[in-house]
Amino acid sequence: MDIVTKKQLNILIQLAEADKHFAKIEREMIFKIARERKFPEEEVHDLIRNPEPIDSLGALSLDQKFDYLWSSIELVFVDQNVFESEIIFCKNIAIKLGFKKGVIDYFIENYGKKSNAEFRDAALGEFI
């Protein structure tokens, strides 16, 4: 089993539920990531039914940390409703990943205005 993908999907599921409304488009994005990574669909259903505690995320590579963070931001915006509860959740995840929580404000302020590479450079250059 791919533990890195499992942890990421677990985080995204909990983020999707942070606003108390697990939108269909959020669910579709989570399953799309699982399919792209050949992660079993039944495992995703299990995580939705029983999310796991979010453990330490410090052992991830910088690329994995950015990927976790970026996918969280994309999930926040996928339903075109940005809730304070989602932002708070993302800031907590950013801190667990070793980023400064200001990275989330930067991502939200610049979402749709900068490329993925620009976000990566900023996150790994200014916010870690």
Side-chain angles (χ1 to χ4, degrees):
M1 178 192 325
D2 178 2
I3 192 70
V4 172
T5 298
K6 183 176 183 177
K7 281 185 171 202
Q8 183 176 16
L9 295 172
N10 182 57
I11 288 168
L12 294 175
I13 288 164
Q14 291 185 48
L15 172 58
E17 294 175 342
D19 63 0
K20 307 295 184 226
H21 177 69
F22 197 156
K24 183 179 180 206
I25 195 162
E26 292 171 327
R27 183 179 298 264
E28 289 169 357
M29 181 182 156
I30 289 166
F31 277 99
K32 179 177 181 268
I33 291 169
R35 278 191 306 278
E36 288 170 354
R37 302 203 184 150
K38 312 271 189 278
F39 193 82
E41 195 170 296
E42 188 52 41
E43 291 274 335
V44 179
H45 285 292
D46 289 345
L47 282 173
I48 290 170
R49 285 189 293 269
N50 297 304
E52 297 179 353
I54 299 171
D55 300 323
S56 169
L57 302 170
L60 299 168
S61 71
L62 287 178
D63 285 339
Q64 290 169 326
K65 289 178 181 189
F66 175 76
D67 188 42
Y68 274 40
L69 196 63
W70 184 247
S71 63
S72 296
I73 294 299
E74 287 186 310
L75 189 77
V76 167
F77 280 94
V78 76
D79 66 355
Q80 298 169 359
N81 292 310
V82 178
F83 292 94
E84 187 66 26
S85 57
E86 294 172 325
I87 294 169
I88 291 167
F89 187 94
C90 284
K91 286 181 179 180
N92 289 330
I93 292 301
I95 291 166
K96 283 184 179 246
L97 289 167
F99 292 97
K100 298 173 186 164
K101 67 181 178 182
V103 72
I104 299 302
D105 294 327
Y106 175 82
F107 277 22
I108 289 172
E109 288 167 20
N110 294 289
Y111 191 83
K113 300 175 192 165
K114 295 186 180 285
S115 70
N116 187 290
E118 289 173 308
F119 279 116
R120 187 182 189 288
D121 290 346
L124 301 180
E126 300 171 40
F127 294 102
I128 205 146

